[in-house]
Amino acid sequence: MERLLPPTLLALKEALEQLPGIGPRSALRILQHLLKKPDLLTRLTDTLGTVATHIHPCPKCGFWTEAELCEICADPHRTEPILCVVKDVSDVLALERSQAFRGQYHLLGGVLDPLAGVGEKDLRLSELWNRIRTEGFEEVILALGTSPEAETTAYYIARHLADWPGKVTRFASGIPVGSELEYIDPLTLSRSLRERLPFSL
Ligand SMILES: [Zn+2]
């Protein structure tokens, strides 16, 4: 019966269904809600347009920015020569909530996952090697989470850095196996960050 919807609404509904966690029913509920709230619809139209034209990945770390560099890379007070390698934006936000880290981040954009078709070229790895070579870091923390794919990716990076003179470390215990950084409470995160361990190959 969905073909009864005007084509524009049907197109919006189908677009909404592409979002994570949104099925056909929730898409329809969102449509109904938006049409009852013209103000919200206008706000969304405006912000979505601006996001599409202004937001891009920071060329250095990969975080979101609308300026040349993201706020973290542009912050002159973040002087610790430590690079924390994470998967995504949500990991940066989780670590920033813990307030325990004053170095730089590098977002890989995921972890190696051959079954899901994610290989070395799909991640920001060449950017990572380049930064480690040129930016004078003394330590690289591999904070990719504890899933088997994350472990494999961390191992891959650590092996690649075997001859690099700096330290390669990982978080101390406290992060349950298989969990994502964003679900760890800030206190636990800051403790495991403070008590980090050398990454052993
Ligand atoms: Zn950045």
Side-chain angles (χ1 to χ4, degrees), residues 58-63 65 69-74 104-105 131:
C58 170
K60 220 172 182 184
C61 72
F63 194 76
T65 181
L69 289 177
C70 75
E71 229 178 280
I72 297 170
C73 289
Q104 302 285 319
Y105 292 100
R131 290 188 73 187

